[in-house]
Amino acid sequence: PKAGLPEVSTLACWAGADSSAIESRVANALSIYGATLAVTLPYSPTDGGAKVVSDMSSLVEAPDAVVVACGGGSPTAVLAALKAKGIPGKAVTLIGTDRWLERPMDPLYEGAYIATLDESETGPIADRFKATYKYQPDVNVAYAYDMVALSAGIASAAGPDGFNKQVLENTTGFRGSTGLFRFRSDGSSQRSMPFFKVEKGRLKLVEKSTSGF
């Protein structure tokens, strides 16, 4: 198991309007560790969460973990419905996304695991961005910064010929303001992030990001 998380063989995932993209990301992440995605259940934040949790119970008897991926919406309706079913609990792990953290910490987050970027690495970029543009950047700013920096680095070191499959898919990856990352042959990416558990309304570090793949 990785970072204190139970071995995940089946998993239920909910998403908002961009459910297909989120499903692909979750399935890709699971495949790296040999796990499978049992079912994806799109939901509307306006339905109160009860229906999608009921649907999950009828389709998946005993998931090892449940991912609530809500995009920019609030996860609390689904979390409340899950809590009524005893999730998270000893048998089922609750997994959130770093977009939960764009909102104030809610008591319903308690017990969930979340992987998010290391603020000690993204902080300098965020501070410079805010000083220049007078508002707090979101995570996409850091990702965009890293892509520009990576492109400039490859061009400087190897010129136009450096933009090839061998360079971009090297297994050691690259390090940027978002930490360590690499590109896989299927077009997806893999990132090393610190792993946290929500305890008493705060993020408690479970495992630091790895220094290499």
Side-chain angles (χ1 to χ4, degrees), residues 156-189:
S156 176
D161 293 338
F163 294 92
N164 59 64
K165 189 177 180 70
Q166 182 178 2
V167 171
L168 293 175
E169 294 179 7
N170 81 82
T171 56
T172 57
F174 309 93
R175 177 168 290 280
S177 68
T178 56
L180 189 67
F181 63 95
R182 65 180 175 183
F183 301 107
R184 303 175 71 201
S185 59
D186 62 2
S188 63
S189 63

Side-chain angles (χ1 to χ4, degrees), residues 9-156:
S9 58
T10 59
L11 185 145
C13 172
W14 293 279
D18 53 350
S19 59
S20 61
I22 294 177
E23 179 183 2
S24 296
R25 292 174 189 170
V26 173
N28 169 66
L30 289 174
S31 70
I32 294 172
Y33 301 107
T36 57
L37 183 63
V39 63
T40 299
L41 296 171
Y43 77 97
S44 168
T46 60
D47 71 5
K51 182 180 184 302
V52 74
V53 171
S54 176
D55 290 346
M56 182 205 72
S57 299
S58 66
L59 293 170
V60 184
E61 183 176 351
D64 296 302
V66 171
V67 173
V68 178
C70 52
S74 171
T76 54
V78 170
L79 296 182
L82 286 170
K83 185 176 181 180
K85 294 284 188 179
I87 299 173
K90 291 183 178 180
V92 185
T93 298
L94 176 63
I95 303 171
T97 72
D98 60 354
R99 297 208 65 179
W100 287 19
L101 305 178
E102 295 175 2
R103 298 170 177 272
M105 192 73 73
D106 191 283
L108 289 168
Y109 292 8
E110 188 71 14
Y113 289 89
I114 299 175
T116 188
L117 297 178
D118 188 341
E119 289 188 0
S120 67
E121 298 205 56
T122 59
I125 300 303
D127 292 343
R128 286 160 54 189
F129 183 96
K130 187 175 182 180
T132 301
Y133 298 105
K134 311 305 180 188
Y135 67 91
Q136 192 67 32
D138 63 17
V139 67
N140 291 318
V141 170
Y143 289 146
Y145 178 91
D146 281 357
M147 290 304 98
V148 172
L150 175 61
S151 299
I154 292 174
S156 176

Side-chain angles (χ1 to χ4, degrees), residues 1-5 33 113-118 191-197 203-212:
K2 294 289 290 181
L5 185 66
Y33 301 107
Y113 289 89
I114 299 175
T116 188
L117 297 178
D118 188 341
R191 292 184 177 275
S192 173
M193 292 181 172
F195 203 52
F196 299 88
K197 184 178 182 180
L203 291 176
K204 179 182 178 181
L205 183 66
V206 175
E207 186 171 308
K208 295 180 179 179
S209 56
T210 58
S211 58

